[in-house]
Amino acid sequence: MDRLDNTIRPYAWGSTTAIPRLLGVEPTGEPQAEMWMGAHPGAPSRTPRGPLNEVIDKSPEQELGARTFARFGPRLPFLLKILAAGAPLSLQVHPDLEQAKEGFEDEERRGLPLDAPHRNYKDANHKPELICALTEFDGLCGFRVPDDAAELLAGLDVDSLKPYVDLLHAHPEEAALREVLTAVLTADPEEMAHTVAETAAACARLGGAYAPYADLAHHYPGDPGVIAAMLLNHVRLQPGEALFLGAGVPHAYLSGLGVEIMANSDNVLRCGLTPKHVDVPELLRIVRFEAGDPGVLRPEASPDGEEVYETPIDEFRLSRYVLPEDTTHDLTRPAPQILLCTAGTVRVGEHPLAPGESVFVPAGEPTVVFGGGTLFRATVVA
């Protein structure tokens, strides 16, 4: 197995303190948004044998195991991250596998460069993801019931929001959400900026349930995503709780530190809260206009102490062990694994791991862990 040296991405929304605090190092003063663990070519983990993507490329069946290689091909099918949101991320959705393949092939046929700012599909894969809170973690996930969204908007008593309130009351659920989101994203920019300013002032005045949207408007003044965000469920995760985000589900992370795992893709369609490209027609094709509870996940414990976050995805499986002092577990598995310590000290084979440290374990490699602390395990569904 290989100890990982991981890249920290300095995106502007990142916290300046959360990842340094986890790692026990001094902050640099710069935002530190995500620490990537895996073989994504954009920032592969470094190992004593070289970059992890190159290690796997040299002998994919040996590193990934025959079953993982046969099912997912010669690449590690998941990417693990520590995510530290100091400011809201963009409001976004991800395509399903068929939509990603169609979109990628279409943009390839049209000759759009992969780094073009107006390109939607960077690859032909879907991007389901799971976020597990390490601290209290705020986010937006999935649509509110239209009547609830209408009540939230109406409570602001902003005249320019009243047409949206009426639409939410007047149509069936899917049509109501589709019509309002479309209206918000296609509104005249100057008129929408005025609406957002009035909304922000009302949210700041009322506080309580409206406070998150005042904060959004502070970070993204005039952005239609502030209004779109009010159509979504606001979720506050406690440490150990998680959210699964499937295809077509609009979402945004607002604040907090968490462990995130996803299929190995970079396909994002943005709804707002961003200066980046928003392709409204393609977005509306991908979004699932389904309202309901966002479904907070809590891990299911097995007899050996493994706590599994169950999802309907085969490309990744996230679990954790909260290990008492001086306990030993055998984590050998016929599939690739990344093991990440987030608390205490855990020895994995010959590698002692402090918080924020991780190892890559090839398929079938004997894996014994010892110590007291919290260890996250990222792998594939066997």
Side-chain angles (χ1 to χ4, degrees):
M1 66 184 70
D2 298 295
R3 178 181 288 275
L4 298 180
D5 179 14
N6 303 305
T7 296
I8 296 176
R9 310 306 293 263
Y11 305 139
W13 50 261
S15 168
T16 59
T17 58
I19 289 178
R21 187 181 301 120
L22 178 71
L23 298 176
V25 300
E26 287 296 316
T28 65
E30 298 297 317
Q32 298 188 7
E34 295 179 347
M35 185 168 76
W36 287 24
M37 292 158 279
H40 192 287
S45 297
R46 296 168 292 278
T47 80
R49 296 187 287 161
L52 185 56
N53 58 333
E54 295 180 10
V55 170
I56 292 172
D57 285 345
K58 289 176 184 175
S59 51
E61 189 165 358
Q62 178 180 337
E63 299 291 336
L64 303 177
R67 182 173 171 81
T68 300
F69 177 78
R71 293 173 73 195
F72 303 114
R75 292 175 178 81
L76 189 68
F78 61 85
L79 176 63
L80 185 68
K81 299 179 181 180
I82 292 175
L83 183 147
L89 283 67
S90 62
L91 190 60
Q92 60 189 258
V93 297
H94 306 304
D96 64 25
L97 190 56
E98 182 178 348
Q99 291 165 338
K101 288 178 178 177
E102 290 175 354
F104 180 76
E105 290 170 1
D106 174 65
E107 292 184 337
E108 288 289 280
R109 280 194 302 269
R110 291 192 281 131
L112 294 182
L114 277 175
D115 59 354
H118 59 292
R119 179 152 185 160
N120 295 314
Y121 297 94
K122 309 293 186 181
D123 53 67
N125 200 12
H126 62 165
K127 193 188 175 187
E129 59 191 42
L130 177 80
I131 184 77
C132 176
L134 293 178
T135 65
E136 194 169 75
F137 194 97
D138 275 25
L140 304 170
C141 179
F143 285 106
R144 297 175 187 266
V145 173
D147 283 345
D148 292 345
E151 182 179 353
L152 189 72
L153 293 176
L156 293 168
D157 196 26
V158 172
D159 286 344
S160 53
L161 293 178
K162 290 178 181 177
Y164 303 141
V165 173
D166 292 339
L167 287 171
L168 289 167
H169 283 312
H171 293 281
E173 179 178 285
E174 181 177 340
L177 294 169
R178 179 182 292 275
E179 193 161 348
V180 173
L181 184 62
T182 302
V184 168
L185 296 181
T186 58
D188 177 82
E190 288 189 13
E191 292 180 4
M192 178 52 66
H194 181 70
T195 296
V196 172
E198 286 192 303
T199 299
C203 287
R205 184 179 69 255
L206 293 169
Y210 292 101
Y213 309 103
D215 186 59
L216 289 179
H218 169 74
H219 287 285
Y220 299 100
D223 193 307
V226 174
I227 308 302
M230 299 186 76
L231 302 176
L232 306 185
N233 296 295
H234 175 245
V235 183
R236 177 163 292 165
L237 300 177
Q238 298 304 313
E241 296 180 334
L243 283 175
F244 172 70
L245 302 157
V249 177
H251 61 278
Y253 302 145
L254 304 182
S255 65
L257 181 71
V259 173
E260 185 182 35
I261 190 169
M262 62 190 63
N264 202 356
S265 171
D266 197 24
N267 286 325
V268 175
L269 290 136
R270 296 174 179 85
C271 314
L273 308 180
T274 177
K276 295 181 180 179
H277 175 61
V278 177
D279 184 336
V280 174
E282 185 65 8
L283 170 72
L284 295 174
R285 188 178 77 87
I286 298 302
V287 172
R288 293 183 179 175
F289 291 94
E290 300 171 358
D293 189 287
V296 173
L297 294 176
R298 296 171 181 85
E300 298 184 15
S302 60
D304 70 349
E306 185 180 27
E307 300 176 346
V308 181
Y309 295 90
E310 296 288 353
T311 73
I313 297 300
D314 289 344
E315 285 97 328
F316 63 73
R317 176 183 183 274
L318 186 70
S319 62
R320 69 172 185 174
Y321 289 83
V322 181
L323 302 168
E325 289 290 340
D326 301 331
T327 56
T328 300
H329 287 266
D330 186 344
L331 270 59
T332 306
R333 188 175 175 86
Q337 305 181 74
I338 293 177
L339 303 177
L340 164 68
C341 177
T342 59
T345 302
V346 180
R347 179 176 290 276
V348 182
E350 298 301 314
H351 300 282
L353 301 183
E357 297 181 335
S358 57
V359 295
F360 171 73
V361 184
E365 182 81 11
T367 309
V368 176
V369 302
F370 172 82
T374 301
L375 189 74
F376 277 85
R377 179 196 223 182
T379 183
V380 301
V381 174

